[in-house]
Amino acid sequence: QHFLLQSNLRNMKRCQIDIRRNPKRLCKLEIKPLTPMGMISTFPEEICQQLLSYMPLSSLATLASTSKEMCSYITDLAMDSQLVIRPINSWIKLKHFAKIKARFVEIGMLFRAITTLSDTTQKLSTIEIFLYELEETYHKICEDISLGFAYDCIGLFLYKFIADWDDEALVRTFELINKLSRLKERVDKVLVIPKHGTFKNFERDVRQFIQEIFLKKAVSPDQRSLWLSLVMEMYPEQQSRLLYLLYGPLLSNNGRCTGMIDR
């Protein structure tokens, strides 16, 4: 890319010298008007994509706010899983936990920027597409690190993406996540058995999912109350049991109770 940029600069300098020697040649030059995408539109498509792929996602988010055309172009790039997810796969092997979490935060910020003018339905569709593209990387995180860490990362992405949404949009977000994750079916497996601790792994999975995706990432007490009420509404007759599952002690593999989770 550096070579191509230097070559373009040299060609521009030669053109300036020729114009000074022969001003009449200026009328023969084809001068393209700048588009809303600026000078970047003068690069070949492949070079443009390669250059943008090296930019931090936070910079792409800022660039997306410059024009509708630029936002549309960066949206197409962001939907390419290789651009936003590729670095995560290498960090998983190296156990770079901080970098992985920071990347999910940046992805959330980028998606919030490129969907600023979109309606709620389009934004929810963006979440669904991203989670579908993330599936392979999600399984790698679960296998090489932990399930709780994977939930934490997805929660960070959602936290940045939906931070300023109203309650109606949050309710629709919960319904989407509930459908994609089959949360209700997973909770059913736990609540169908009256004795606490019978399915320790299922209980831990449900607790970590709800806490990391929703409750711990809430931006305010009101939002946390909204998430909790949506969870409780799924089981009007077993709310006390569900509250105990979310906040009470869990049985470890040796039969002892672990400490209660932070509220």
Side-chain angles (χ1 to χ4, degrees), residues 14-25:
R14 292 195 192 101
C15 183
Q16 291 175 353
I17 294 174
D18 290 342
I19 291 174
R20 290 171 187 168
R21 292 176 179 174
N22 186 8
K24 293 182 179 180
R25 187 180 176 187

Side-chain angles (χ1 to χ4, degrees), residues 4-5 8 39-48 51:
L4 290 174
L5 289 173
N8 287 336
M39 292 295 295
I40 199 171
S41 61
T42 62
F43 290 101
E45 183 72 16
E46 296 78 6
I47 299 299
C48 183
L51 289 173

Side-chain angles (χ1 to χ4, degrees), residues 24-143:
K24 293 182 179 180
R25 187 180 176 187
L26 180 62
C27 63
K28 299 180 181 180
L29 294 175
E30 181 182 357
I31 302 177
K32 297 181 179 180
L34 288 179
T35 68
M37 290 182 62
M39 292 295 295
I40 199 171
S41 61
T42 62
F43 290 101
E45 183 72 16
E46 296 78 6
I47 299 299
C48 183
Q49 291 183 5
Q50 193 70 9
L51 289 173
L52 292 179
S53 69
Y54 286 102
M55 292 179 62
L57 297 187
S58 56
S59 298
L60 287 179
T62 303
L63 189 61
S65 64
T66 57
S67 68
K68 290 183 178 179
E69 289 77 5
M70 181 62 74
C71 182
S72 177
Y73 186 79
I74 292 179
T75 299
D76 293 337
L77 289 179
M79 291 296 104
D80 179 7
S81 60
Q82 293 302 314
L83 173 65
V84 298
I85 299 176
R86 180 176 52 194
I88 299 175
N89 294 324
S90 60
W91 294 336
I92 292 173
K93 297 179 181 179
L94 300 174
K95 303 292 195 266
H96 287 167
F97 304 135
K99 288 185 178 181
I100 295 173
K101 286 187 176 183
R103 187 70 172 186
F104 276 93
V105 171
E106 290 179 350
I107 294 173
M109 294 174 62
L110 173 61
F111 279 36
R112 184 173 63 182
I114 64 179
T115 58
T116 300
L117 301 178
S118 303
D119 57 25
T120 303
T121 301
Q122 292 173 321
K123 291 178 180 179
L124 293 175
S125 177
T126 301
I127 294 177
E128 188 170 2
I129 293 172
F130 172 71
L131 293 180
Y132 175 79
E133 295 291 340
L134 184 68
E135 186 174 3
E136 183 178 349
T137 301
Y138 165 79
H139 289 302
K140 288 182 180 179
I141 296 176
C142 293
E143 294 173 2

